[in-house]
Amino acid sequence: QVRLVESGGGLVQPGTSLRLSCAASELTLDFFAMGWFRQAPGKEREGVSCLASTSDGYTYYSDSAKGRFTISRDNAKNTVYLQMNSLNPEDTALYYCAAIHSGSSWRCIVDDVDYWGKGTLVLVSS
């Protein structure tokens, strides 16, 4: 069955960087847009960044992620990454990997997600 497994989370100091990875099984990334979502205590789950299945496709970043985070993928390895720089305490959340089937249109929103990972915790604190 389809599995999305996140790794790379942990406790880091403000101003430092972290790279999250998502390994996909029984799913070919060629056919899916991939994304990262996060949910902090007391807040709704939100899209952080999503990347289309093709190199010339749509890329989305939330306002808070723009200029700090970078999403990338290696389809041959069935892996997607999120490079996070200049982390601050407001980035503290459970980060989820997500797969969205690439139809005629798709959006980087919770309702469009077909598969979820279980999440990896990022805690930014001094």
Side-chain angles (χ1 to χ4, degrees), residues 1 3 8-9 13 15 23 36 56 62 83 88 118:
Q1 59 183 10
R3 291 181 62 211
Q13 295 182 341
W36 290 94
D56 60 345
S62 67
Q83 178 68 44
N88 61 68
K118 293 183 178 180

Side-chain angles (χ1 to χ4, degrees), residues 27-115:
L27 183 153
T28 302
L29 268 59
D30 294 359
F31 307 136
F32 289 85
M34 301 297 296
W36 290 94
F37 293 70
R38 70 183 184 187
Q39 188 166 22
K43 301 184 69 176
E44 295 184 345
R45 189 173 300 186
E46 63 176 1
V48 178
S49 182
C50 289
L51 180 64
S53 59
T54 58
S55 60
D56 60 345
Y58 174 67
T59 304
Y60 167 83
Y61 291 99
S62 67
D63 289 342
S64 64
K66 290 179 181 176
R68 297 191 301 132
F69 295 0
T70 303
I71 190 170
S72 62
R73 65 197 296 155
D74 187 337
N75 286 2
K77 296 181 178 180
N78 269 16
T79 303
V80 62
Y81 307 94
L82 183 68
Q83 178 68 44
M84 303 186 293
N85 298 328
S86 301
L87 288 164
N88 61 68
E90 293 187 346
D91 294 315
T92 295
L94 195 62
Y95 283 73
Y96 297 91
C97 182
I100 303 170
H101 190 268
S102 298
S104 58
S105 63
W106 59 272
R107 299 162 296 177
C108 192
I109 62 172
V110 169
D111 286 353
D112 279 7
V113 173
D114 294 293
Y115 300 101

